[in-house]
Amino acid sequence: GFGATGAALIDAGIDLCVFTGSVETGKRVAAACGARLIECVMELGGNAPLIACADCDVERTARSIVYGGFSNCGQVCISVERVYAHRDVYEPLLERVVELTKALRPGDPTRDFCDIGYITYAPQLDVVMAHIEDATSNGAQVLCGGKRRGDMAFEPTVIAGADHSCRVMTEETFGPVVPFMRVSSEEEVIQLANDSQLGLTAYVF
């Protein structure tokens, strides 16, 4: 719910607050709970990296990226937000992810049998578009998707050639966008994956 609902719950004298949402709102909720000595659990924003090592199973990894990146239109705190692929598997993995992504069926989940539905919060579409535009301005390439489908829908999008100059790699997108970055070693990828203020979860294949 909106802020007034959360404030009313906390003021009601609850025993425990479990909050899922943004970092900024989480800070306010935690402060309100602290002032009332209410226990709280914060499940806040994420920027989950997926690390594809040189010896990964390309097919399994590709299917996991598509599932993890586009389920619920990418609106899951633990969605795959960025992919670091070892140079030995970068091209075949990227190619397979694009194939699988293009096969996803968009639609209205209330009426259609589909794989991808709507963005739930209109301002998030602006974030998605801003991250894509920033990535392309920094030399990355949109391989599929990248466009709106009506007022609240967005095409599942795969971006190649991203790096940490791109906001899509360093900030939470919370939408159906999966950027790829090529890496040369496990040491490099560990450093890159940890270069984030949003350490909710990570995946290694």
Side-chain angles (χ1 to χ4, degrees):
F2 289 101
T5 304
L9 283 170
I10 292 169
D11 286 339
I14 56 175
D15 295 319
L16 170 69
C17 172
V18 180
F19 173 79
T20 301
S22 71
V23 173
E24 287 306 311
T25 303
K27 289 176 181 178
R28 292 195 293 272
V29 171
C33 288
R36 294 159 180 80
L37 297 179
I38 296 170
E39 285 189 74
C40 64
V41 177
M42 300 284 109
E43 200 268 286
L44 307 179
N47 189 21
L50 184 143
I51 298 169
C53 299
D55 60 351
C56 74
D57 179 322
V58 170
E59 181 67 16
R60 181 172 182 235
T61 306
R63 290 185 176 276
S64 298
I65 290 169
V66 172
Y67 176 79
F70 300 130
S71 289
N72 200 35
C73 224
Q75 300 164 112
V76 183
C77 295
I78 59 171
S79 289
V80 173
E81 286 263 342
R82 50 194 169 122
V83 175
Y84 299 99
H86 190 276
R87 62 190 176 193
D88 291 350
V89 294
Y90 180 90
E91 296 295 346
L93 181 61
L94 182 59
E95 181 180 345
R96 185 62 179 137
V97 167
V98 169
E99 287 175 355
L100 292 168
T101 301
K102 287 181 175 179
L104 293 176
R105 296 159 297 187
D108 179 347
T110 64
R111 300 179 315 184
D112 308 321
F113 185 76
C114 61
D115 299 308
I116 192 159
Y118 297 134
I119 299 286
T120 60
Y121 183 57
Q124 200 63 34
L125 283 162
D126 297 329
V127 174
V128 170
M129 281 302 306
H131 282 194
I132 292 171
E133 289 167 5
D134 175 75
T136 56
S137 71
N138 281 289
Q141 181 183 6
V142 175
L143 299 187
C144 63
K147 300 186 184 76
R148 283 188 169 188
R149 293 189 295 104
D151 290 341
M152 294 295 290
F154 201 89
E155 296 174 345
T157 303
V158 179
I159 297 175
D163 61 29
H164 278 217
S165 68
C166 304
R167 292 172 60 196
V168 74
M169 293 295 288
T170 59
E171 300 176 13
E172 184 179 38
T173 303
F174 210 67
V177 180
V178 175
F180 273 70
M181 180 174 177
R182 188 192 309 262
V183 294
S184 299
S185 68
E186 290 179 6
E187 292 75 19
E188 178 190 12
V189 78
I190 289 169
Q191 183 177 2
L192 290 164
N194 283 321
D195 183 19
S196 175
Q197 296 300 311
L198 301 166
L200 194 59
T201 192
Y203 308 101
V204 181
F205 286 78

